[in-house]
Amino acid sequence: MDSYAPLLEKTRIPQPALQKLAVISIFSKLRSSSNHLNFESESGKRAISQCLTSSSPNVIDESVRQLCRLVTDGVIEVSNGLLELQSALEGSDLKFVNVFVKGLCFLVRFGFQKNNGDWSFSSIHTHPFVMILLCRVEVQSELLQQVLLFMLQNQRLGMIQVCEFLKPLLDFSIIRLLASESSSSSFGLQLVSSMASFCCSCPNESMPVLKLLMGCLMYLPHETSE
């Protein structure tokens, strides 16, 4: 019998306190168990997957929190945490989309800070923000908020580094905007608008952001860039 089975069964009991305790116990077991039961084992992977695909908001919320804690405590790599949450986001119920986006973006902020602002990816499509955007249309509103939070929380590392990290997302969004028939409601325009608003709110940090925006907007048709 899978040693996680009794705890997983408790996550299905409609009692929030019991569900939360069961999830905490599962992730505590993942953290401390030997190789045949830890997060890299088949039973460990199944336990994480079942927690992240639960139909209970309490289980999903606590599972995302506990997975992020495994990453910040150095138990698993940032890339592995991102992979788990990205996979869960792709198949999640609509009501859980924002929870997964928040968890993913928390790990992105953590990874960026862990690398002191020097964090790059092999291609535009492997950038975590681009991967979130490509996952499903429902992520867009929360992703916009999280991009602004990323900018605000990483000012101390320098806005030049922040802008370099965000450039693949902005480039990709502009490319999609140019190919879109409904550009007025596109994520690209909303992203540009949000970043411009950041410049107004944080004028001392605005120059690198303005340069980034100007470099991207030059590719837009005049009537769109207005």
Side-chain angles (χ1 to χ4, degrees):
M1 181 180 179
D2 191 328
S3 64
Y4 289 100
L7 290 171
L8 288 167
E9 190 62 34
K10 290 180 180 179
T11 67
R12 302 183 185 99
I13 299 173
Q15 296 181 16
L18 182 59
Q19 289 176 326
K20 180 177 180 179
L21 181 60
V23 172
I24 291 173
S25 298
I26 288 169
F27 279 84
S28 177
K29 194 178 186 71
L30 287 165
R31 179 190 296 267
S32 59
S33 293
S34 56
N35 290 342
H36 72 288
L37 289 175
N38 69 11
F39 65 92
E40 292 183 333
S41 67
E42 286 303 315
S43 58
K45 290 176 181 177
R46 281 197 302 271
I48 292 174
S49 176
Q50 289 188 48
C51 285
L52 293 176
T53 55
S54 171
S55 60
S56 166
N58 299 300
V59 173
I60 293 293
D61 185 68
E62 190 60 39
S63 297
V64 171
R65 182 179 291 109
Q66 291 297 324
L67 181 62
C68 289
R69 189 168 295 169
L70 286 183
V71 175
T72 58
D73 288 347
V75 179
I76 65 176
E77 295 294 327
V78 175
S79 58
N80 291 334
L82 288 171
L83 184 62
E84 291 288 350
L85 292 182
Q86 182 77 27
S87 177
L89 172 62
E90 290 173 358
S92 75
D93 189 288
L94 178 60
K95 63 186 176 183
F96 300 139
V97 165
N98 285 356
V99 177
F100 286 119
V101 173
K102 288 176 181 177
L104 281 160
C105 292
F106 170 82
L107 292 185
V108 173
R109 294 195 303 274
F110 175 77
F112 185 77
Q113 292 162 8
K114 182 180 179 182
N115 287 278
N116 293 314
D118 184 19
W119 198 24
S120 59
F121 299 87
S122 59
S123 75
I124 193 170
H125 291 94
T126 58
H127 190 287
F129 281 156
V130 174
M131 290 181 67
I132 295 170
L133 179 60
L134 283 171
C135 186
R136 50 196 297 177
V137 68
E138 297 92 349
V139 306
Q140 293 184 10
S141 178
E142 184 61 39
L143 181 56
L144 282 171
Q145 299 301 315
Q146 292 296 320
V147 169
L148 288 178
L149 184 61
F150 178 90
M151 296 172 73
L152 286 168
Q153 291 196 352
N154 288 301
Q155 292 181 70
R156 63 181 180 81
L157 294 176
M159 288 309 297
I160 293 177
Q161 288 90 334
V162 168
C163 288
E164 287 178 353
F165 184 82
L166 292 177
K167 189 176 186 300
L169 174 64
L170 190 59
D171 287 346
F172 183 79
S173 301
I174 295 298
I175 292 171
R176 291 185 74 184
L177 174 58
L178 291 171
S180 173
E181 296 180 358
S182 56
S183 60
S184 61
S185 60
S186 74
F187 177 84
L189 284 180
Q190 294 176 59
L191 179 60
V192 169
S193 177
S194 295
M195 294 179 73
S197 296
F198 172 88
C199 294
C200 297
S201 301
C202 304
N204 293 335
E205 305 288 350
S206 65
M207 191 55 66
V209 182
L210 288 173
K211 288 182 178 179
L212 174 62
L213 292 176
M214 291 172 64
C216 292
L217 291 176
M218 64 182 293
Y219 297 105
L220 291 178
H222 180 67
E223 63 272 14
T224 305
S225 61
E226 289 180 345

